[in-house]
Amino acid sequence: MPADAIRHLSGIAEVADRYDGLLLDLWGVLHDGKAPFPGVIDCLTRLKAAGKRIVVLSNAPRRAHLVEERVSEIGIPRTLYDHLMSSGEETWQHLKQRRDPFYAALGRVCYHIGPKRDDNMLADIGLSRVDDIAEAEFILNTGPWEWNATVALYEPLLQAARGRDLPMVCVNPDLVVVHGGETVICAGSLAQRYEAIGGRVGWNGKPFPAVYETCFELLGIADRRRILAVGDSLRTDIAGANGVGIDSLLILGGIHGEELGVTPGVEPDARKLAAAVAAHGHRPTYTMSHLVW
């Protein structure tokens, strides 16, 4: 094995003794949007039996309690993790408290880009919603209205918003997600395009440090060397872990699966992995094809 090779694990049991707590990504690591991945329930059960603290950290654009409900519906019991934190929860708290200068300067009239299931992000915080971008004071971006949307479909809207210099709140910084085997865009793709045309964006969730500080409080583990972050995105999960100085495990079969040629029973291509790490600029401590014990 080359000296700079990233250690590939066959199961998390190989390094479990090194860590007291884990930050686990949700979509792409624990489930695919429809069902838990094979081996995940067993893995979580064994981690809890070993006394590990587990916080699920998701870039879902919804309140944490609603994400918990959906996770239970998918088939992951609430008893298998200690806490769940979402980028939606972080955003909602910002919009409610208005302590951050970016949020303090926002108005109360928003234009919501997102599906109806994300309407909870506007509840109980004194926001008015408008259907005309010309009447809005800011954009609340939780993701595309439809699963099969493209960024190009939103170009006229984004240009109109840029013309008025409207700030955008991005509730989910992920660019894409794999839903039942199909790759679809997330709010991050729209926010990225908005920034590219000169728009101002307030980002929440991974990889930004603030949400990790919240999770550290939830974990209650003083020595961060004893915390492992697990995720399937170099851009968010691994970059975020690198940014706050904790070890990380990249799940190769998630959003990078096609890029890396990862399929069940096939070992990852070390050259493809090295190229992806170099391209993204974020290096994991370990890799594993899928989360198993």
Side-chain angles (χ1 to χ4, degrees):
M1 177 182 293
D4 61 347
I6 298 168
R7 181 180 174 184
H8 185 69
L9 310 176
S10 59
I12 203 167
E14 295 177 32
V15 296
D17 287 347
R18 300 185 183 185
Y19 303 100
D20 299 321
L22 298 95
L23 294 179
L24 300 181
D25 182 33
L26 185 53
W27 206 319
V29 171
L30 301 184
H31 69 70
D32 66 355
K34 296 182 178 180
F37 289 116
V40 160
I41 300 301
D42 173 67
C43 183
L44 293 175
T45 301
R46 290 173 182 269
L47 287 169
K48 289 304 298 176
K52 309 302 180 183
R53 295 278 296 170
I54 297 175
V55 170
V56 176
L57 174 54
S58 171
N59 274 349
R62 284 171 289 285
R63 298 288 309 278
H65 70 280
L66 296 175
V67 180
E68 287 184 1
E69 291 175 8
R70 178 56 184 154
V71 171
S72 295
E73 291 172 358
I74 286 174
I76 301 174
R78 178 63 182 81
T79 54
L80 294 184
Y81 58 91
D82 296 286
H83 298 282
L84 186 148
M85 182 62 187
S86 68
S87 57
E89 183 68 30
E90 182 187 31
T91 304
W92 190 89
Q93 295 294 342
H94 275 311
L95 289 169
K96 178 182 180 181
Q97 298 167 3
R98 303 280 176 144
R99 295 172 184 167
D100 182 277
F102 178 85
Y103 289 89
L106 296 177
R108 294 281 175 177
V109 182
C110 79
Y111 183 94
H112 180 206
I113 300 176
K116 187 171 179 57
R117 64 178 177 273
D118 296 342
D119 283 354
N120 65 95
M121 289 300 306
L122 290 82
D124 305 319
I125 48 178
L127 295 182
S128 299
R129 179 177 179 175
V130 293
D131 296 325
D132 186 347
I133 197 71
E135 299 174 3
E137 295 174 326
F138 73 96
I139 300 170
L140 183 65
N141 171 20
T142 63
W145 287 303
E146 302 292 341
W147 280 113
N148 60 351
T150 64
V151 175
L153 291 174
Y154 291 82
E155 187 69 15
L157 176 64
L158 297 178
Q159 291 289 349
R162 177 65 187 94
R164 298 191 57 228
D165 192 30
L166 294 182
M168 173 188 285
V169 175
C170 181
V171 188
N172 175 4
D174 289 352
L175 300 180
V176 297
V177 69
V178 180
H179 181 256
E182 179 183 359
T183 301
V184 295
I185 66 168
C186 296
S189 288
L190 302 177
Q192 187 180 65
R193 175 56 186 164
Y194 195 52
E195 279 194 332
I197 63 175
R200 294 179 290 135
V201 178
W203 298 84
N204 297 277
K206 299 175 288 186
F208 305 100
V211 76
Y212 286 88
E213 294 301 326
T214 299
C215 289
F216 292 149
E217 292 179 10
L218 294 173
L219 281 171
I221 297 171
D223 187 353
R224 295 186 182 182
R225 294 172 298 180
R226 303 285 298 176
I227 299 173
L228 177 68
V230 182
D232 70 325
S233 170
L234 286 163
R235 175 181 168 271
T236 56
D237 300 301
I238 306 307
N242 289 173
V244 295
I246 60 175
D247 287 354
S248 61
L249 166 60
L250 177 66
I251 299 299
L252 302 175
I255 64 171
H256 295 294
E258 183 175 348
E259 174 187 1
L260 299 175
V262 177
T263 56
V266 176
E267 286 297 302
D269 187 317
R271 291 172 298 179
K272 289 183 178 179
L273 175 60
V277 168
H280 288 273
H282 309 297
R283 181 184 177 87
T285 312
Y286 316 104
T287 61
M288 193 157 63
S289 295
H290 303 279
L291 182 62
V292 294
W293 178 253

